[in-house]
Amino acid sequence: DVKVTQSSRYLVKRTGEKVFLECVQDMDHENMFWYRQDPGLGLRLIYFSYDVKMKEKGDIPEGYSVSREKKERFSLILESASTNQTSMYLCASSSSGMGQGGARGYTFGSGTRLTVV
Amino acid sequence: AQSVTQLGSHVSVSEGALVLLRCNYSSSVPPYLFWYVQYPNQGLQLLLKYTTGATLVKGINGFEAEFKKSETSFHLTKPSAHMSDAAEYFCAVSGGNAGKSTFGDGTTLTVKP
C-alpha cells in the first residue's frame, strides 16, 4: 500500500524554536506539497517541490522554508515558531507521470498537529 | 488561474437520505476535478476524480460525482447516507500538467440517526 508518512502526529513547541516537520513517501513521486489546515480556511499551500532540490512558494510561505535533498523526503522548517503557526500540517505527494501531473490526485499523510506555546 | 467554491460549510442529513455536496470551479484550462474525504484527526483520502471521458464518475463508499462543464460544477452525491459518512469533504481542481491542486474550504457532513 502506497504511503506518505509524517514523522509526528502531535508536536508541542515553544515560541522561537526552530521546528522541523518531516515527510517521506515511498511511491517514487516527483511532486511533494506542504499544506496547513485551519478551521474555516480549508487547505492553504505553503510550499511545493517538483523535483529534488527544487522548491516553489505556495500561497502562504512567510515564516516557513523547505528542503528536498532526496526524492522521497520533503521537510518543512519553521525558522522561529510563533503561536500563529499553531495548526494542522499536511504533506502530500503526486506523480507527474507521462505529462499527466494534474490528473493523478494527491496521496496525503496523516497530518501533524503542531501547537506552539 | 483556478479556484473552487464549495457551497455550504455544513450539511446535515438523516441516515438513509440523499447526500448532495456542491462544488463549483473555475479553471483557465480543461480541469481535473477531485473529491477528498477527511475523517477526524486524519489526512485526506481521495474519493473520486474526473480527468477525461465519462462525466459521471464513481468513487469509493458509494459516492459519485458528475462533471457539468456548462455549469462549471462537480457535485458529490450518495443515494443513501450512512453514519460512517460523517466527515469533512473537500473538492479540488487541478489544471494542465502542473500537478498543483487548489482546494475548496471544505464541507462538514453530519449524519443524524
Side-chain angles (χ1 to χ4, degrees), chain A residues 59-96:
Chain A
D59 301 317
I60 53 164
E62 296 78 19
Y64 303 94
S65 63
V66 292
S67 172
R68 192 164 182 202
E69 296 296 318
K70 294 184 177 181
K71 189 176 185 179
E72 67 270 19
R73 186 180 297 270
F74 192 36
S75 303
L76 179 69
I77 304 157
L78 286 65
E79 298 291 345
S80 178
S82 65
T83 55
N84 63 13
Q85 292 178 310
T86 291
S87 185
M88 168 73 94
Y89 289 88
L90 293 167
C91 177
S93 71
S94 72
S95 171
S96 290

Side-chain angles (χ1 to χ4, degrees), chain A residues 9 35 37 50 99 101-102 106 109, chain B residues 32 34 36 38 41 43 97-98 101:
Chain A
R9 290 299 304 274
Y35 288 85
Q37 182 181 16
Y50 288 140
Y106 290 2
Chain B
Y32 302 131
F34 309 87
Y36 293 84
Q38 184 181 34
N41 295 314
N97 297 329
S101 289

Side-chain angles (χ1 to χ4, degrees), chain A residues 28-31 50 94-104, chain B residues 97-99:
Chain A
D28 201 35
H29 282 174
E30 294 82 5
N31 311 318
Y50 288 140
S94 72
S95 171
S96 290
M98 304 295 287
Q100 293 281 314
R104 303 291 178 96
Chain B
N97 297 329

Side-chain angles (χ1 to χ4, degrees), chain B residues 29 44 57-58 68-69 76 79 92 95 102 107 110:
Chain B
V29 296
L44 280 68
V57 293
K58 296 183 184 299
K68 292 188 176 180
K69 185 177 179 180
L76 182 70
T102 299
T107 298
T110 301

